[in-house]
Amino acid sequence: MGQFLEVAAGEYNYKEVSYRNGFQINEVTTARLSIKGVQSDYYTFNDDEWNSYNISFRTDYVEDDRFLTFQIGGYHTKSERSDWYRYDILETPFNPNDPMSVIVGYKAGLDDFSRGFYSNLNLGKTVDDTHYEATLWIDSNSRTEPSANGEYDTLNTDVLAIKQINPNNELTLGLGARYTKIKVPEKKADFYLGMDPYHRTSSRQTEREQIYNVFSQLETQLTDKFTSSLGVKVEHFTRNNTTEIQPQARLLYRVSEKHQLWTGIGRAVVTPSAVDSSTDTYMVNWHNITCKTDNSKCAPPAIILTSGDINMNNESVVTWDTGYRGEINNSFSIDSTIFFSKYKKLRMLSNKYQLCKYGECIDGSILPGQLDIYEYKLSDALEAQSYGAELAIYWQPTQKLNFNLSYSYIDTQAKCSPEYMSCNTYDNGGYKGLYNHQPKHYVSLQTMWTLNSQWQIDGWLKHKSSVSSPIAFYKAPAITTMDVRVAWQYNQDWPLVEFVVDGLGSSTYEDLPNKAPLEEVAFLRFSWTKL
């Protein structure tokens, strides 16, 4: 219980204010009110305004055999993108000798609003040797960003029972349901005026779907050293009328009190979504105008359409992993894992199909500006497999100094049928290449050093290996960055002062090709805690 206030300011007009107030209602009920606001200039590039505000309230009721948690909150985010353009497609080219002039572009800017509210109710009660829990979650939000424009409403509920059958067996049973509603703005009557460079559309403005599931898990103490866990989840999706079975099995072996070995295998399924099943994305493509010997043979501008497919199978993965966890002594511990995953029915692009040529479409319609329209349908023809290892080490040589070191290695290879052009060449569609061209090595080293009762210095070194490729789109350099935090507090009654630098000494770089540039950012933060 108490109050917490935090104020921060830094480069690129970064400003943040956060306030929390926790209080006691009675002996078994507490509550907390939280308010936070952030402003900065890093929406896409470091000159675009970004604002975010949220508020939440939570109350907890706890007794020996029962509990109840209720939470409600809302948020509002506004982003401004200064380099955004819109386009008008004319009936005929503005310049008869230049087919590209059929598209008139003008700088318009983009205001991206995202707002919504959420509410959560979680309650539980224990009766004899059985514990019951129920959860109800409601979420409603909307967004104007062109690739995710729409209104989204979700209601999710789950109930479960955990029963101690006997000293060696614990059984969990549960069921759940999710109801969603998606509303996409209607297609404009003047569709070819004021076009975004890309935009998501749908022929069905309102969609409703449900997801139902039942699950169970049995945890068994086989011997003093062996513990097993067997579970299964059966899930039904009304979006594509499919039912999926997702089993898992795990085995834990306690070598000693401080050393454990474990292994497991399980299957998981990605929930089908409107993004790849029932919505389409268009992209205005007018940069690749090519002429041969005279202007009359110039290629016209085009619209590239990526269409969803409701008939695709659900994406799934089967993963096997095994590992070791041990505490060498009170100041040194290690955690390691190796894994292998097999992915099926991943999304990729099918072959290109021309719907309209020089403004004449296969359905008989005529488009302005002699537009070409090319369509790619999403397909589930991609498969992949990945394997790797993870190692985490915690070391505390003194009470005032500790290190957290982690290393990850992952190799992913995708495959698909050569009948798809986007499978044969990485620069045409690229979905296979996106999986194959990923960094393989990741290193993280965190240090926390308490110099004395007033000063603390933390550091975080991160490294990601390079990606080699003859295609510039996938080629990426190795990236190493260092984040530093220096904190000072005179005593517990004084404010905590923190100076933080992300990417210390780093020149501007891109985390991945064609992504927004990143660079060194510094800010100062003050926080007060009153109990």
Side-chain angles (χ1 to χ4, degrees):
M1 298 298 97
Q3 300 183 68
F4 174 81
L5 175 64
E6 182 178 270
V7 179
E11 295 180 288
Y12 306 108
N13 292 321
Y14 169 70
K15 298 180 285 291
E16 178 178 340
V17 177
S18 178
Y19 173 74
R20 294 195 301 271
N21 183 12
F23 52 94
Q24 192 90 26
I25 297 177
N26 55 44
E27 293 183 355
V28 294
T29 308
T30 59
R32 184 178 68 188
L33 175 68
S34 301
I35 303 173
K36 184 176 181 179
V38 181
Q39 293 183 344
S40 189
D41 290 347
Y42 53 74
Y43 174 54
T44 302
F45 299 96
N46 283 326
D47 57 357
D48 298 318
E49 185 178 348
W50 182 79
N51 304 277
S52 177
Y53 311 97
N54 62 69
I55 182 172
S56 67
F57 174 79
R58 170 175 173 165
T59 182
D60 291 270
Y61 165 84
V62 180
E63 286 197 73
D64 293 338
D65 62 345
R66 69 194 69 185
F67 74 88
L68 183 147
T69 298
F70 174 73
Q71 186 173 5
I72 188 170
Y75 67 90
H76 172 86
T77 299
K78 178 186 176 184
S79 307
E80 294 183 4
R81 183 165 174 175
S82 58
D83 64 340
W84 193 261
Y85 283 77
R86 287 193 171 88
Y87 305 93
D88 292 339
I89 299 179
L90 309 179
E91 289 291 336
T92 58
F94 179 78
N95 180 357
N97 295 321
D98 181 9
M100 186 173 69
S101 67
V102 76
I103 295 184
V104 178
Y106 52 94
K107 196 171 184 178
L110 174 66
D111 289 342
D112 175 18
F113 289 94
S114 177
R115 56 176 68 92
F117 81 92
Y118 58 89
S119 181
N120 178 57
L121 176 65
N122 185 24
L123 52 91
K125 181 176 175 60
T126 301
V127 179
D128 297 329
D129 56 1
T130 305
H131 178 71
Y132 301 92
E133 283 194 27
T135 301
L136 176 65
W137 172 272
I138 299 174
D139 182 279
S140 179
N141 63 84
S142 62
R143 188 169 183 182
T144 59
E145 202 279 331
S147 65
N149 51 301
E151 300 174 6
Y152 309 88
D153 299 317
T154 302
L155 186 150
N156 191 90
T157 181
D158 295 286
V159 295
L160 63 85
I162 305 173
K163 181 177 179 60
Q164 193 71 40
I165 300 175
N166 55 48
N168 295 326
N169 292 275
E170 183 180 86
L171 177 65
T172 300
L173 298 173
L175 55 89
R178 175 179 295 179
Y179 305 90
T180 61
K181 176 185 175 183
I182 301 174
K183 186 176 181 180
V184 179
E186 293 186 8
K187 184 178 178 180
K188 299 186 303 180
D190 53 350
F191 180 75
Y192 295 102
L193 297 178
M195 299 182 70
D196 291 306
Y198 58 84
H199 202 95
R200 185 171 298 280
T201 63
S202 176
S203 58
R204 300 166 57 186
Q205 269 64 57
T206 302
E207 293 186 74
R208 292 178 173 84
E209 67 171 319
Q210 299 84 45
I211 302 173
Y212 304 102
N213 66 76
V214 295
F215 57 90
S216 66
Q217 177 176 294
L218 178 64
E219 186 169 320
T220 303
Q221 187 73 42
L222 300 173
T223 68
D224 292 341
K225 294 184 176 294
F226 282 99
T227 301
S228 68
S229 178
L230 300 173
V232 64
K233 182 180 183 181
V234 181
E235 202 161 21
H236 179 75
F237 308 103
T238 63
R239 171 170 291 279
N240 55 3
N241 195 29
T242 58
T243 301
E244 299 282 357
I245 300 176
Q246 303 170 71
Q248 69 166 350
R250 309 200 69 79
L251 183 66
L252 172 68
Y253 174 64
R254 295 180 179 84
V255 181
S256 66
E257 183 179 345
K258 295 185 177 181
H259 299 275
Q260 301 174 355
L261 297 171
W262 52 268
T263 187
I265 187 170
R267 180 178 186 264
V269 174
V270 177
T271 301
S273 72
V275 171
D276 56 22
S277 63
S278 59
T279 62
D280 309 322
T281 301
Y282 76 75
M283 181 176 65
V284 178
N285 182 25
W286 61 285
H287 299 286
N288 298 325
I289 304 299
T290 57
C291 296
K292 296 183 180 179
T293 57
D294 58 78
N295 289 329
S296 64
K297 294 183 180 179
C298 286
I303 290 180
I304 309 299
L305 182 67
T306 302
S307 301
D309 186 356
I310 193 65
N311 297 313
M312 290 188 295
N313 293 304
N314 299 325
E315 296 176 282
S316 66
V317 60
V318 175
T319 297
W320 168 84
D321 56 0
T322 188
Y324 161 77
R325 183 180 298 114
E327 182 179 327
I328 309 304
N329 53 49
N330 293 334
S331 63
F332 190 91
S333 62
I334 185 171
D335 201 331
S336 60
T337 308
I338 58 174
F339 62 89
F340 175 81
S341 296
K342 187 80 172 179
Y343 302 85
K344 291 185 177 181
K345 305 301 180 181
L346 298 177
R347 303 319 189 217
M348 62 175 289
L349 294 181
S350 65
N351 291 331
K352 180 171 64 176
Y353 185 72
Q354 190 166 12
L355 298 179
C356 305
K357 185 175 182 179
Y358 292 103
E360 297 183 5
C361 303
I362 59 176
D363 62 1
S365 60
I366 303 298
L367 300 184
Q370 295 188 328
L371 274 175
D372 285 348
I373 294 186
Y374 298 95
E375 180 186 32
Y376 290 93
K377 273 191 173 294
L378 285 170
S379 168
D380 59 5
L382 187 65
E383 296 185 357
Q385 66 179 33
S386 64
Y387 65 90
E390 297 179 349
L391 175 67
I393 295 174
Y394 172 78
W395 180 40
Q396 186 176 11
T398 71
Q399 283 190 336
K400 296 183 177 182
L401 178 65
N402 61 66
F403 299 90
N404 284 290
L405 172 67
S406 66
Y407 167 75
S408 300
Y409 173 84
I410 181 170
D411 182 88
T412 302
Q413 295 296 323
K415 65 178 182 179
C416 47
S417 171
E419 68 180 279
Y420 296 100
M421 187 176 298
S422 62
C423 183
N424 292 330
T425 55
Y426 292 150
D427 55 347
N428 191 350
Y431 278 58
K432 177 181 175 181
L434 288 175
Y435 285 92
N436 289 353
H437 291 85
Q438 295 288 334
K440 290 182 169 60
H441 305 274
Y442 300 84
V443 179
S444 171
L445 174 61
Q446 291 179 286
T447 64
M448 287 164 279
W449 184 18
T450 302
L451 280 70
N452 52 45
S453 60
Q454 297 179 344
W455 289 93
Q456 184 179 19
I457 299 178
D458 300 335
W460 189 6
L461 177 69
K462 292 171 284 187
H463 173 79
K464 181 171 62 176
S465 63
S466 62
V467 177
S468 299
S469 173
I471 307 300
F473 180 81
Y474 302 111
K475 189 175 182 180
I479 295 174
T480 302
T481 60
M482 181 71 179
D483 300 340
V484 175
R485 168 184 171 269
V486 179
W488 174 83
Q489 186 176 29
Y490 183 70
N491 59 44
Q492 294 295 324
D493 296 326
W494 280 52
L496 174 66
V497 182
E498 299 168 280
F499 178 66
V500 181
V501 182
D502 292 337
L504 178 65
S506 300
S507 56
T508 302
Y509 66 94
E510 294 181 358
D511 189 47
L512 288 172
N514 303 303
K515 297 299 182 182
L518 304 173
E519 54 192 313
E520 178 185 282
V521 177
F523 60 91
L524 189 65
R525 181 165 57 205
F526 298 85
S527 58
W528 295 263
T529 301
K530 182 179 180 181
L531 300 177

